[in-house]
């Protein structure tokens, strides 16, 4: 199953909005075929693993898969039907699929046909791998990542007096931010930040797709704004809940929120986030725009590497 999870990671981001899934076929204790979910609308992991194996071997093999096989007709036929067609006698699954069209139906179909099904192998690791997919289907909102850079004395910007924003991030951390952008389907900033900073919100410093750009604002940006040239979506909302509802209705499974301070604070105060990625620069500003306030007693913290990136996530049950 660990190999299945490794395979699943190879599916992202091409597979989205489908989950990352890895599968393999074991015959007489040896892996004889493996696969992972292809680009959206193409073959699922189970299909890729099964394709290269003769039927007579499949009837004596075990299929391992990191997520419950689908049992509905979507872009592709049900994987559960393929498993039954090939006569695979045993299937080992990490966890069930939370999507309402699956959620136990794949397991039930296999068991009803006499297939031995084992569930719960590395289940927590499998759910964590597809945290975006699970959050979207179980909480009915996108997986929310808040990201900001702040000075060593707790400011995200200095006093501009008409000038440009103070550079806090290093080139290395800026490249990492662009990597993060490439990993999420959407990015969000507030209207004030968009107008003041003139951000492009795209991916330039690494290879990867640019996210869909969203502006939380009561009015459109000027036609001369960089985002007006490249394209953006405006969300007019009175609350964080309305913003997340709008993104959910548009099928956005995860969003990287890049500010500004007021937008971040609203997400923090409302506990409407799953991660905070807080970059601490070496610059000292003394005065300026204060970084969002965090309730440290309700967050767990993990420091990462030499970039001094601190990750926060809500403690379970809070």
């Amino acid at each position: 199953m660990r190999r299945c999870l490794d395979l699943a990671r190879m599916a992202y981001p091409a597979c989205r909005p489908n989950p990352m899934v890895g599968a393999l076929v074991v015959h007489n204790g040896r892996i004889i075929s493996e696969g992972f979910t292809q680009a959206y609308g193409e073959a699922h992991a189970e299909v890729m693993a099964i394709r290269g194996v003769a039927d007579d071997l499949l009837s004596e093999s075990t299929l391992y898969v990191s997520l419950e096989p689908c049992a509905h007709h979507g872009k592709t036929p049900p994987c559960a039907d393929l498993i039954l067609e090939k006569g695979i006698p045993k299937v080992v699954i990490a966890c069930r699929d939370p999507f309402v069209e699956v959620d136990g139906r794949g397991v039930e179909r296999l068991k009803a046909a006499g297939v031995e099904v084992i569930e719960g192998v590395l289940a927590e690791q499998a759910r964590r791998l597809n945290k975006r997919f699970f959050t979207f289907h179980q909480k009915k909102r996108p997986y929310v990542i808040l990201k900001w850079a702040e000075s060593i004395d707790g400011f995200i910007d200095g006093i501009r007096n008409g000038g440009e924003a103070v550079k806090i991030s290093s080139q290395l951390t800026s490249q990492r931010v662009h990597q993060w952008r490439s990993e999420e389907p959407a990015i969000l900033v507030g209207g004030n930040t968009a107008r003041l900073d003139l951000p492009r919100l795209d991916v330039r410093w690494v290879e990867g797709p640019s996210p869909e750009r969203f502006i939380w604002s009561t009015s459109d940006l000027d036609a001369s704004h960089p985002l007006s040239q490249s394209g953006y979506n405006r969300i007019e909302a009175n609350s964080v809940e309305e913003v997340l509802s709008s993104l959910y209705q548009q099928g956005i499974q995860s969003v990287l929120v890049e500010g500004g301070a007021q937008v971040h604070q609203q997400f923090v105060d409302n506990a409407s986030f799953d991660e905070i990625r807080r970059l601490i620069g070496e610059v000292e500003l003394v005065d300026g725009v204060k970084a969002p306030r965090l309730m440290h007693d309700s967050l767990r913290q993990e420091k990462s590497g030499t970039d001094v990136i601190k990750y926060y996530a809500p403690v379970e049950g809070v």
Side-chain angles (χ1 to χ4, degrees):
M1 190 59 74
R2 288 192 178 91
R3 176 58 181 163
C4 285
L5 295 177
D6 288 340
L7 290 166
R9 292 182 180 92
M10 298 169 67
Y12 200 79
C15 68
R16 66 188 190 196
N18 282 342
M20 294 173 273
V21 183
L24 54 84
V25 178
V26 173
H27 182 263
N28 290 337
R30 183 170 64 91
I31 297 173
I32 59 174
S33 183
E34 54 187 31
F36 56 85
T37 303
Q38 301 299 290
Y40 181 58
E42 298 180 10
H44 289 188
E46 300 95 320
V47 175
M48 298 301 294
I50 289 171
R51 272 181 179 172
V53 182
D55 288 356
D56 59 336
L57 289 181
L58 286 172
S59 63
E60 302 171 348
S61 299
T62 298
L63 176 71
Y64 285 76
V65 60
S66 61
L67 192 68
E68 176 184 11
C70 62
H72 70 294
H73 284 270
K75 293 284 186 180
T76 59
C79 291
D81 288 357
L82 177 64
I83 294 169
L84 297 179
E85 175 190 331
K86 296 299 182 179
I88 299 173
K90 183 177 180 180
V91 178
V92 180
I93 299 168
C95 63
R96 294 196 177 193
D97 188 330
F99 180 44
V100 66
E101 295 291 337
V102 185
D103 200 8
R105 296 182 184 181
V107 169
E108 291 170 3
R109 184 174 300 182
L110 295 175
K111 287 183 175 180
V115 176
E116 180 184 357
V117 179
I118 296 176
E119 300 181 65
V121 180
L122 299 184
E124 185 56 37
Q125 292 92 322
R127 283 190 287 267
R128 192 181 310 125
L129 177 65
N130 278 305
K131 57 191 178 184
R132 297 165 179 84
F133 184 78
F134 274 78
T135 297
F136 183 81
H137 288 288
Q138 292 179 332
K139 297 185 178 181
K140 309 303 180 186
R141 65 163 175 81
Y143 186 90
V144 177
I145 302 169
L146 308 182
K147 189 281 303 179
W148 67 79
E150 67 179 77
S151 65
I152 197 169
D153 54 347
F155 296 93
I156 64 171
D157 198 2
I159 299 175
R160 296 199 190 185
N161 292 324
E164 296 183 352
V166 175
K167 184 67 175 177
I168 295 175
S169 302
S170 68
Q171 181 65 29
L172 179 61
T173 53
S174 294
Q175 287 179 330
R176 179 166 291 191
V177 167
H178 279 239
Q179 179 63 43
W180 291 342
R181 288 179 179 179
S182 74
E183 294 169 354
E184 310 307 328
I187 188 169
L188 172 76
V189 299
N192 290 338
T193 295
R195 292 179 178 87
L196 186 61
D197 293 347
L198 302 178
R200 291 164 60 181
L201 305 180
D202 59 4
V203 174
R204 302 185 300 280
W205 297 337
V206 299
E207 291 292 330
S210 291
E212 192 170 353
R213 292 166 282 269
F214 289 86
I215 308 299
W216 181 1
S217 177
T218 57
S219 60
D220 289 324
L221 302 177
D222 291 341
S224 60
H225 194 287
L227 290 174
S228 295
Q229 306 299 313
S230 59
Y232 71 94
N233 302 275
R234 181 169 65 88
I235 298 177
E236 185 170 352
N238 296 315
S239 66
V240 168
E241 290 90 347
E242 289 184 10
V243 171
L244 294 180
S245 176
S246 177
L247 292 172
Y248 175 78
Q249 294 300 324
Q250 296 179 67
I252 302 299
Q253 289 191 5
S254 63
V255 60
L256 180 65
V257 181
E258 289 205 10
Q262 293 182 4
V263 168
H264 277 139
Q265 195 65 61
Q266 289 185 68
F267 274 87
V268 170
D269 291 346
N270 202 54
S272 295
F273 66 92
D274 300 284
E275 294 181 31
I276 296 176
R277 299 176 183 177
R278 178 177 169 228
L279 291 77
I280 314 296
E282 295 182 353
V283 62
E284 185 174 3
L285 298 182
V286 181
D287 195 8
V289 181
K290 285 189 172 293
R293 303 178 306 278
L294 300 177
M295 298 183 297
H296 291 280
D297 59 342
S298 64
L299 300 172
R300 68 174 183 270
Q301 177 182 161
E302 177 185 345
K303 185 174 178 179
S304 175
T306 57
D307 292 340
V308 195
I309 299 173
K310 294 187 176 181
Y311 295 83
Y312 298 83
V315 174
E316 291 296 328
V318 174

